[in-house]
Amino acid sequence: KLQFLYFIVGREDMIRTEAEWKETLTPKQYKVLREGGCDDAGKGEYYRAQPTEGHFACSACMSPLYGHDAKFPCDCGWPAFSKCYTKHVTPRPEKSHGEGLEICCSNCKGHLGHIYKRRVEKDPEAQRHCVNSTSIVYVKTDPSEELVVGKVSMKR
């Protein structure tokens, strides 16, 4: 069940206490977005979805994260994206495993998933963002703001 949040993206009013997040998010959203949990592989709502328009936004704060054209079919078990709206996706060192990179919403700091290098012959810098369906919501229209599309730094 999608809960609409009323705020202006990117402003200080996105700072919330964990108690406020618990009130705002569903238990599953809280587990994934705030505690770094993970959807079951192959079970997410957007795993096989291939929209031809619109974008994907953070389910906690509605910041635009990925254009529809960045999503690609992948057998990793989670929705996979090759590029993002760089202003809204931030990588950070993985907390639990220590070697990988987790990706987070730049606006609300919610956990989105993980980022990996892809093996693409024509693009040695290719990326695969494996994102939890719980962390995102599909929006049928393009973002209202002009956004830079690209790759995020994978340097630790």
Side-chain angles (χ1 to χ4, degrees), residues 65-102:
L65 303 170
Y66 301 98
H68 70 89
D69 56 342
K71 189 162 186 320
F72 66 95
C74 183
D75 289 330
C76 66
W78 292 269
F81 299 88
S82 60
K83 55 193 173 195
C84 62
Y85 297 126
T86 56
K87 174 181 175 183
H88 295 292
V89 177
T90 302
R92 66 181 176 201
E94 169 73 58
K95 292 178 188 174
S96 61
H97 297 84
E99 294 179 22
L101 283 175
E102 108 178 87

